[in-house]
Amino acid sequence: MRANRLVLVVLLVVVLALWSAEGLKALKVMKVRRRAWRTRPCADLPEELLEQMFGRLSVGVLSAFSHTLQLVPGPQNLTCPSGTRLGTKGAPRTPVNFLSLSPWAYRISHDPARYPRFLPEAYCLCRGCLMGPNREESEQYRSTPVYIPTAVLRRTGSCVGGRHSYVESYVSVPVGCTCVPAVQDAHRLSNKQSKAQKRTN
């Protein structure tokens, strides 16, 4: 009789232990599900705060540059103005970027994870440079972009207090184009200089 009771007590203890272990697992799963259900998406920082942070970060070069641009929205079919004469005195004033020997235009770069989200970027309109008397394109020179290092705010993957966090980052932004000797001409020039140095030595 006592042995039967002892067996029943042991079985009851084992059943309770198993039941409590399964119950703890179920509670943990419920807690995890509740936490997952309660999580909210990370919101972006207010525009005014991002503007203040960027204002402290930038030295003003890019912000001044971007505010002075008169960009036309939408795609522009601009081509190299080779052989075109510049306007006369009565014509409207031509922008500097079209007067250059290496003319350029602007496109807008958009990145939602960066502030400023929209950045103007210059791109060269000609492969060569307009070196001829009537602004004909010369293949002895090539148009190449000019870059400036620019501070921006870059969104990180972390969420602090329900808001995205941003860190300081640097990007190279093309701001115009200039003329440089073509690669073959640059090699010839360096060969001539090295030969001249050998002669003087």
Side-chain angles (χ1 to χ4, degrees):
M1 194 80 171
R2 282 183 184 176
N4 288 341
R5 281 186 185 175
L6 186 60
V7 169
L8 282 174
V9 169
V10 169
L11 283 173
L12 186 60
V13 168
V14 169
V15 168
L16 284 173
L18 288 173
W19 179 79
S20 63
E22 291 298 320
L24 285 173
K25 283 182 185 176
L27 283 173
K28 284 179 183 176
V29 169
M30 285 174 61
K31 283 180 182 178
V32 169
R33 283 181 184 164
R34 281 181 185 173
R35 283 180 193 163
W37 182 73
R38 286 181 185 172
T39 56
R40 296 177 184 168
C42 199
D44 210 352
L45 289 173
E47 197 74 17
E48 298 81 23
L49 182 59
L50 284 169
E51 195 172 327
Q52 287 175 5
M53 289 168 63
F54 177 68
R56 275 181 265 161
L57 186 72
S58 69
V59 291
V61 175
L62 182 68
S63 55
F65 164 74
S66 61
H67 284 82
T68 57
L69 291 174
Q70 296 177 351
L71 296 165
V72 179
Q76 299 178 32
N77 296 323
L78 297 174
T79 58
C80 181
S82 176
T84 56
R85 293 189 177 194
L86 297 175
T88 59
K89 289 181 181 178
R93 204 171 120 198
T94 307
V96 172
N97 51 309
F98 294 118
L99 294 173
S100 172
L101 297 176
S102 176
W104 70 88
Y106 296 100
R107 64 170 66 98
I108 298 295
S109 158
H110 176 250
D111 185 350
R114 175 191 68 202
Y115 190 86
R117 292 179 184 86
F118 297 94
L119 280 179
E121 292 184 347
Y123 65 97
C124 304
L125 293 174
C126 303
R127 186 177 171 199
C129 293
L130 308 181
M131 306 294 279
N134 293 319
R135 288 177 56 89
E136 294 92 4
E137 189 174 1
S138 170
E139 293 294 327
Q140 292 180 343
Y141 293 87
R142 65 181 173 87
S143 293
T144 186
V146 176
Y147 293 87
I148 60 166
T150 305
V152 296
L153 296 171
R154 177 73 55 190
R155 186 192 301 162
T156 65
S158 60
C159 193
V160 179
R163 301 275 188 183
H164 286 295
S165 62
Y166 285 78
V167 294
E168 179 179 342
S169 180
Y170 287 85
V171 294
S172 291
V173 179
V175 294
C177 290
T178 190
C179 288
V180 296
V183 177
Q184 293 174 349
D185 292 334
H187 286 305
R188 286 181 200 155
L189 184 62
S190 65
N191 287 339
K192 284 181 183 178
Q193 287 174 347
S194 62
K195 286 178 183 176
Q197 283 178 346
K198 285 177 184 177
R199 286 178 195 160
T200 56
N201 295 336

